[in-house]
mmCIF file of all heavy atoms in Angstrom:
data_model
loop_
_atom_site.group_PDB
_atom_site.id
_atom_site.type_symbol
_atom_site.label_atom_id
_atom_site.label_comp_id
_atom_site.label_asym_id
_atom_site.label_seq_id
_atom_site.Cartn_x
_atom_site.Cartn_y
_atom_site.Cartn_z
ATOM 1 N N VAL C 266 -20.021 -63.213 39.020
ATOM 2 C CA VAL C 266 -20.020 -64.216 40.086
ATOM 3 C C VAL C 266 -20.246 -63.530 41.429
ATOM 4 O O VAL C 266 -19.421 -62.703 41.845
ATOM 5 C CB VAL C 266 -18.681 -64.981 40.126
ATOM 6 C CG1 VAL C 266 -18.711 -66.026 41.241
ATOM 7 C CG2 VAL C 266 -18.395 -65.629 38.781
ATOM 8 N N PRO C 267 -21.335 -63.850 42.139
ATOM 9 C CA PRO C 267 -21.517 -63.330 43.502
ATOM 10 C C PRO C 267 -20.430 -63.916 44.406
ATOM 11 O O PRO C 267 -20.171 -65.116 44.368
ATOM 12 C CB PRO C 267 -22.903 -63.844 43.893
ATOM 13 C CG PRO C 267 -23.573 -64.183 42.603
ATOM 14 C CD PRO C 267 -22.478 -64.648 41.694
ATOM 15 N N LEU C 268 -19.800 -63.084 45.217
ATOM 16 C CA LEU C 268 -18.636 -63.517 45.992
ATOM 17 C C LEU C 268 -18.967 -63.718 47.468
ATOM 18 O O LEU C 268 -19.773 -62.998 48.048
ATOM 19 C CB LEU C 268 -17.515 -62.490 45.866
ATOM 20 C CG LEU C 268 -17.064 -62.137 44.451
ATOM 21 C CD1 LEU C 268 -15.936 -61.121 44.512
ATOM 22 C CD2 LEU C 268 -16.637 -63.380 43.699
ATOM 23 N N LYS C 269 -18.286 -64.705 48.061
ATOM 24 C CA LYS C 269 -18.368 -64.943 49.497
ATOM 25 C C LYS C 269 -16.951 -64.870 50.069
ATOM 26 O O LYS C 269 -16.015 -65.422 49.498
ATOM 27 C CB LYS C 269 -19.001 -66.299 49.793
ATOM 28 C CG LYS C 269 -20.476 -66.376 49.406
ATOM 29 C CD LYS C 269 -21.075 -67.724 49.774
ATOM 30 C CE LYS C 269 -22.546 -67.775 49.391
ATOM 31 N NZ LYS C 269 -23.158 -69.087 49.720
ATOM 32 N N PHE C 270 -16.836 -64.187 51.192
ATOM 33 C CA PHE C 270 -15.524 -63.934 51.789
ATOM 34 C C PHE C 270 -15.408 -64.568 53.167
ATOM 35 O O PHE C 270 -16.396 -64.711 53.895
ATOM 36 C CB PHE C 270 -15.287 -62.429 51.933
ATOM 37 C CG PHE C 270 -15.111 -61.710 50.627
ATOM 38 C CD1 PHE C 270 -16.217 -61.339 49.871
ATOM 39 C CD2 PHE C 270 -13.853 -61.401 50.149
ATOM 40 C CE1 PHE C 270 -16.071 -60.677 48.654
ATOM 41 C CE2 PHE C 270 -13.681 -60.740 48.946
ATOM 42 C CZ PHE C 270 -14.800 -60.372 48.200
ATOM 43 N N THR C 271 -14.191 -64.924 53.529
ATOM 44 C CA THR C 271 -13.887 -65.312 54.897
ATOM 45 C C THR C 271 -13.193 -64.133 55.571
ATOM 46 O O THR C 271 -12.377 -63.439 54.943
ATOM 47 C CB THR C 271 -12.998 -66.571 54.938
ATOM 48 O OG1 THR C 271 -12.761 -66.926 56.310
ATOM 49 C CG2 THR C 271 -11.676 -66.351 54.226
ATOM 50 N N ALA C 272 -13.526 -63.865 56.834
ATOM 51 C CA ALA C 272 -12.991 -62.690 57.539
ATOM 52 C C ALA C 272 -13.137 -62.882 59.040
ATOM 53 O O ALA C 272 -13.660 -63.896 59.521
ATOM 54 C CB ALA C 272 -13.739 -61.425 57.089
ATOM 55 N N ASN C 273 -12.668 -61.865 59.778
ATOM 56 C CA ASN C 273 -12.842 -61.809 61.234
ATOM 57 C C ASN C 273 -12.339 -63.075 61.931
ATOM 58 O O ASN C 273 -13.097 -63.773 62.628
ATOM 59 C CB ASN C 273 -14.311 -61.546 61.592
ATOM 60 C CG ASN C 273 -14.829 -60.261 60.996
ATOM 61 O OD1 ASN C 273 -14.055 -59.415 60.549
ATOM 62 N ND2 ASN C 273 -16.150 -60.103 60.961
ATOM 63 N N ASN C 274 -11.060 -63.386 61.725
ATOM 64 C CA ASN C 274 -10.430 -64.547 62.363
ATOM 65 C C ASN C 274 -11.101 -65.871 62.010
ATOM 66 O O ASN C 274 -11.077 -66.829 62.791
ATOM 67 C CB ASN C 274 -10.413 -64.371 63.890
ATOM 68 C CG ASN C 274 -9.561 -63.197 64.324
ATOM 69 O OD1 ASN C 274 -8.465 -62.984 63.795
ATOM 70 N ND2 ASN C 274 -10.062 -62.414 65.264
ATOM 71 N N GLY C 275 -11.713 -65.910 60.839
ATOM 72 C CA GLY C 275 -12.363 -67.134 60.378
ATOM 73 C C GLY C 275 -13.763 -67.331 60.907
ATOM 74 O O GLY C 275 -14.416 -68.340 60.601
ATOM 75 N N GLU C 276 -14.243 -66.378 61.690
ATOM 76 C CA GLU C 276 -15.582 -66.506 62.271
ATOM 77 C C GLU C 276 -16.677 -66.075 61.303
ATOM 78 O O GLU C 276 -17.857 -66.344 61.533
ATOM 79 C CB GLU C 276 -15.669 -65.672 63.564
ATOM 80 C CG GLU C 276 -14.716 -66.144 64.646
ATOM 81 C CD GLU C 276 -14.730 -65.244 65.866
ATOM 82 O OE1 GLU C 276 -15.504 -64.254 65.860
ATOM 83 O OE2 GLU C 276 -13.979 -65.520 66.816
ATOM 84 N N PHE C 277 -16.292 -65.394 60.223
ATOM 85 C CA PHE C 277 -17.270 -64.956 59.228
ATOM 86 C C PHE C 277 -16.978 -65.608 57.889
ATOM 87 O O PHE C 277 -15.833 -65.659 57.438
ATOM 88 C CB PHE C 277 -17.234 -63.431 59.063
ATOM 89 C CG PHE C 277 -18.132 -62.931 57.962
ATOM 90 C CD1 PHE C 277 -19.473 -62.654 58.211
ATOM 91 C CD2 PHE C 277 -17.650 -62.759 56.660
ATOM 92 C CE1 PHE C 277 -20.306 -62.193 57.190
ATOM 93 C CE2 PHE C 277 -18.469 -62.317 55.644
ATOM 94 C CZ PHE C 277 -19.800 -62.028 55.905
ATOM 95 N N PHE C 278 -18.027 -66.110 57.234
ATOM 96 C CA PHE C 278 -17.958 -66.553 55.842
ATOM 97 C C PHE C 278 -19.311 -66.301 55.196
ATOM 98 O O PHE C 278 -20.336 -66.806 55.648
ATOM 99 C CB PHE C 278 -17.601 -68.032 55.721
ATOM 100 C CG PHE C 278 -17.687 -68.533 54.298
ATOM 101 C CD1 PHE C 278 -16.821 -68.043 53.328
ATOM 102 C CD2 PHE C 278 -18.653 -69.448 53.930
ATOM 103 C CE1 PHE C 278 -16.905 -68.481 52.006
ATOM 104 C CE2 PHE C 278 -18.749 -69.901 52.613
ATOM 105 C CZ PHE C 278 -17.870 -69.411 51.654
ATOM 106 N N GLY C 279 -19.299 -65.482 54.146
ATOM 107 C CA GLY C 279 -20.570 -65.196 53.479
ATOM 108 C C GLY C 279 -20.469 -63.952 52.612
ATOM 109 O O GLY C 279 -19.384 -63.490 52.262
ATOM 110 N N VAL C 280 -21.638 -63.418 52.279
ATOM 111 C CA VAL C 280 -21.725 -62.223 51.440
ATOM 112 C C VAL C 280 -21.512 -60.983 52.307
ATOM 113 O O VAL C 280 -22.118 -60.855 53.380
ATOM 114 C CB VAL C 280 -23.103 -62.152 50.749
ATOM 115 C CG1 VAL C 280 -23.209 -60.886 49.909
ATOM 116 C CG2 VAL C 280 -23.327 -63.386 49.882
#
Side-chain angles (χ1 to χ4, degrees):
V266 180
L268 305 181
K269 293 182 179 179
F270 291 81
T271 182
N273 302 345
N274 296 318
E276 297 175 1
F277 175 87
F278 173 65
V280 178

